[in-house]
Amino acid sequence: MHALVYTGTNKIDFREEKDPIAKAGESLIKVKASGICGSDMHAYHGKDERRIPPLILGHEISGTSLDGKYKNKDVVINPLISCENCNYCKNEREHLCPKRTMIGMSAPIKREGGLAELVSVPEKNILEVPKDLNIKEAALAEPAAVALHAVLLAEQNLKKPLSECKILIQGAGAIGLLCGLILNTEKKSKNIIMSDPNKKRLDNCSKYLSATFVSPEDRLIKNDNFDLILESVGLEITRLQAIKTIAPGGTIVHIGLTQPSGTFNFKKLTIQEITLVGTYCYTNKDFNTTVNILTSKKLGDLGWVEYRDLKKGSEAFEEIHNGTCVSPKIILIP
Ligand SMILES: [Zn+2]
Ligand SMILES: [Zn+2]
């Protein structure tokens, strides 16, 4: 098969690889669409110790099952593989399972990803694509589940309904945009500011999201102002802005992880009773809900997604890396 292989820092090769062989309980998927995730970019930059080259990246996958229970059916993959036996798994928090693994990662178990013509996945991680959901759009289920989980965590921690909150979304990438779309459509939030240094990205997002679009230095990002901040960047500088601009009693949801550590204003966190919540992946329930949201077309026009040929994948990684890519999401088609 052909695959995009991460071979070293800033190196992705489109090349011939051995076809995967499905193990017991697994099915072989003929990939129809496979998205590039921020975490794949993190690996590309050589900064992810869980993704070691050579490795086929990619975990936002839809396709056709070639065998097993879903033979010849269009399917979407939930790439998070959990043990099903621990307390987390038994209480609908599979994403925190200590034995969890992920497709397209090297650790704790090496599993080749979906930026390829074929991928082998556990049958329990396969969902049938409803007939009203376009197979290519189904690949969005994974990043949309990340966003849904973040919004639901925000909702659990806030002291007032999301529809009444003043919201700042830092970062106009796929996760920031999807959080905004879920807030607009599922939670009726209209008072949203989205910030990003990339003006072209913001212009692109402004066609789909009901919000105000500003640079991170804009005077609309006032101190002690927002009830909720969705931090989808994860830099020290964006975290510092989040704590500065959150209103007393507000909630910061930390989604991005570009810089895993740095300084932070714990004084304000403490004396203004700020809630700071980390969010990671999604539960199985979130993933299923997301497939339903996409099927019902509730997120509106998905014209912001750019589809490209898998063959051209290394150029796509390069463009995302050097900031010339204006699409919040690129999905590759084998
Ligand atoms: Zn992802
Ligand atoms: Zn478990």
Side-chain angles (χ1 to χ4, degrees):
M1 65 166 182
H2 287 109
L4 270 188
V5 186
Y6 163 50
T7 52
T9 303
N10 294 356
K11 275 198 224 122
I12 297 274
D13 286 345
F14 181 72
R15 68 185 194 194
E16 194 63 34
E17 285 284 296
K18 271 200 206 104
D19 284 1
I21 298 163
K23 296 191 197 101
E26 299 198 358
S27 285
L28 209 57
I29 308 297
K30 185 175 171 23
V31 179
K32 295 270 185 74
S34 189
I36 301 176
C37 176
S39 59
D40 294 322
M41 291 310 298
H42 210 54
Y44 177 75
H45 293 137
K47 288 190 180 141
D48 188 345
E49 70 288 349
R50 299 168 308 167
R51 291 176 171 91
I52 312 293
L55 177 73
I56 302 171
L57 300 170
H59 54 265
E60 304 174 359
I61 311 161
S62 61
T64 305
S65 181
L66 297 179
D67 47 34
K69 187 175 158 193
Y70 298 93
K71 190 171 179 180
N72 297 328
K73 293 211 157 61
D74 282 345
V75 295
V76 57
I77 311 307
N78 176 343
L80 196 74
I81 304 163
S82 52
C83 82
E84 297 185 322
N85 286 316
C86 71
N87 260 322
Y88 290 105
C89 285
K90 286 180 177 158
N91 289 289
E92 295 191 330
R93 299 176 87 197
E94 305 85 1
H95 61 306
L96 300 179
C97 170
K99 291 189 178 150
R100 67 183 183 256
T101 58
M102 184 100 173
I103 290 163
M105 292 207 350
S106 324
I109 296 168
K110 183 168 175 177
R111 275 199 164 270
E112 300 289 359
L115 291 172
E117 288 178 310
L118 295 167
V119 63
S120 175
V121 300
E123 205 160 68
K124 67 184 173 78
N125 288 65
I126 299 175
L127 278 86
E128 197 173 334
V129 173
K131 70 170 175 22
D132 291 330
L133 176 57
N134 176 300
I135 183 76
K136 289 196 290 183
E137 289 179 356
L140 264 191
E142 202 271 347
V146 172
L148 177 70
H149 187 69
V151 169
L152 295 178
L153 273 182
E155 194 170 38
Q156 283 165 23
N157 284 284
L158 284 159
K159 304 289 180 287
K160 57 180 169 182
L162 278 166
S163 59
E164 290 169 23
C165 288
K166 250 193 207 177
I167 302 171
L168 172 66
I169 300 174
Q170 294 171 300
I175 299 300
L177 177 58
L178 283 162
C179 283
L181 292 172
I182 290 167
L183 285 165
N184 271 180
T185 58
E186 297 284 292
K187 304 295 174 189
K188 309 294 166 224
S189 311
K190 298 291 173 212
N191 199 347
I192 301 176
I193 292 181
M194 175 179 261
S195 68
D196 197 287
N198 187 332
K199 170 89 169 62
K200 286 186 185 156
R201 273 265 181 108
L202 289 177
D203 288 346
N204 198 4
C205 288
S206 72
K207 294 182 213 153
Y208 306 94
L209 179 69
S210 167
T212 304
F213 299 86
V214 300
S215 88
E217 292 83 38
D218 197 277
R219 57 185 177 77
L220 285 178
I221 307 181
K222 292 184 199 123
N223 292 350
D224 307 319
N225 185 48
F226 299 98
D227 302 303
L228 168 64
I229 298 181
L230 292 152
E231 213 294 40
S232 79
V233 183
L235 287 170
E236 183 175 14
I237 189 169
T238 42
R239 280 191 290 269
L240 287 172
Q241 182 179 48
I243 188 69
K244 207 164 150 187
T245 57
I246 193 80
T251 296
I252 300 169
V253 180
H254 194 254
I255 319 169
L257 206 50
T258 312
Q259 271 175 347
S261 59
T263 60
F264 192 71
N265 186 347
F266 288 103
K267 183 177 175 193
K268 176 167 174 186
L269 180 97
T270 308
I271 63 176
Q272 303 284 22
E273 285 198 359
I274 307 301
T275 306
L276 174 65
V277 196
T279 175
Y280 172 77
C281 278
Y282 36 78
T283 66
N284 288 349
K285 190 176 162 200
D286 296 332
F287 197 94
N288 299 351
T289 307
T290 307
V291 171
N292 293 335
I293 290 174
L294 288 170
T295 305
S296 63
K297 319 274 178 229
K298 280 193 193 151
L299 302 185
D301 180 4
L302 300 174
W304 48 273
V305 179
E306 194 184 330
Y307 297 97
R308 296 191 187 183
D309 207 319
L310 182 71
K311 268 200 246 24
K312 302 264 169 67
S314 54
E315 284 97 314
F317 273 82
E318 250 171 67
E319 280 178 38
I320 299 171
H321 164 69
N322 63 30
T324 52
C325 173
V326 295
S327 317
K329 173 60 73 186
I330 293 183
I331 292 181
L332 298 175
I333 310 293

